[in-house]
Amino acid sequence: MAEFPVRKIALITEEIFHEGGPAPEEPRLRAAAMAVVKNPFAGRYVERLQSAMEDLKPLGLLLSDKLIDALGGDPQRIDGYGKGAIVGTAGELEHCALWHVPGGYAMRDRLGGAKAIVPSATKVGAFGSRLDVPLGHTNAAYVRSHFDAMEVGLSDGPRPDEILFVLAMSIGPRIHNRMGGLAADEIKAWDGLR
């Protein structure tokens, strides 16, 4: 059993009122929850990592709950999500990949079984690194109005032997979206694509 002691949890929320054009009736909401954890694999190569994903599931659920609360408490309103990770310089990119299952499936679970793949970004980074976490619609990957990214990071992490795990959620499309394509209210297949 791998242990990932949490050093810090941080939450960022945004209300976007306009992007230079007319203000919508309601602002767009975005939030990101970040946890800086000790990397039990730092400084060495470990062949078998997959079982450690199970150990991170409670963290995925905790961050998902924090995001839902930060966005008003109603998971039915949330229609965008994404995830990411930055591993410190004593780790490797595959340590970020530990977040795919516990981060993505936690959000899907808490949002009532969202269908679309959870967009993801990962990198090896030094102290204070930033990450653009991609966002997409929760139920259909082809909904262009929800393609977005939220930049996140912490000034004091990740340290070389840490991992910064991130989950992000949003309510509403980009402000002033007008690039066409599949509209959220036209989702039909419920296969995560269209």
Side-chain angles (χ1 to χ4, degrees):
M1 182 168 158
E3 293 192 18
F4 297 88
V6 176
R7 178 169 66 86
K8 177 189 262 190
I9 290 177
L11 190 64
I12 300 170
T13 59
E14 296 180 349
E15 292 180 82
I16 304 167
F17 294 99
H18 67 83
E19 295 287 353
E25 289 182 25
E26 291 185 38
R28 179 171 193 226
L29 305 178
R30 296 192 308 189
M34 297 171 279
V36 181
V37 306
K38 181 82 168 169
N39 180 356
F41 308 113
R44 61 196 173 98
Y45 178 81
V46 176
E47 179 65 31
R48 298 185 188 277
L49 297 171
Q50 283 188 16
S51 63
M53 287 191 283
E54 190 69 29
D55 302 320
L56 286 166
K57 284 183 178 179
L59 182 61
L61 294 169
L62 174 67
L63 295 184
S64 295
D65 291 340
K66 287 184 175 294
L67 283 173
I68 292 167
D69 288 345
L71 291 171
D74 183 0
Q76 299 303 312
R77 292 191 64 220
I78 295 167
D79 60 358
Y81 59 10
K83 66 183 184 302
I86 305 172
V87 66
T89 56
E92 63 170 294
L93 198 55
E94 202 65 8
H95 300 162
C96 292
L98 290 167
W99 196 229
H100 288 314
V101 170
Y105 282 90
M107 288 193 292
R108 285 179 169 176
D109 175 69
R110 292 303 202 237
L111 296 176
K115 305 290 186 213
I117 191 169
V118 181
S120 182
T122 60
K123 73 180 195 178
V124 176
F127 207 69
S129 293
R130 308 287 293 174
L131 184 70
D132 288 334
V133 177
L135 295 169
H137 195 278
T138 55
N139 286 312
Y142 287 99
V143 177
R144 288 184 204 154
S145 61
H146 286 61
F147 294 171
D148 195 5
M150 187 172 181
E151 185 184 28
V152 300
L154 294 173
S155 60
D156 65 346
R159 295 172 180 168
D161 63 346
E162 291 180 331
I163 307 171
L164 173 68
F165 289 123
V166 184
L167 296 181
M169 294 181 186
S170 61
I171 297 175
R174 292 185 315 278
I175 300 294
H176 314 313
N177 77 88
R178 51 196 186 278
M179 292 300 119
L182 179 68
D185 61 0
E186 295 173 343
I187 297 171
K188 292 181 183 171
W190 296 99
D191 61 2
L193 298 176
R194 298 185 182 277

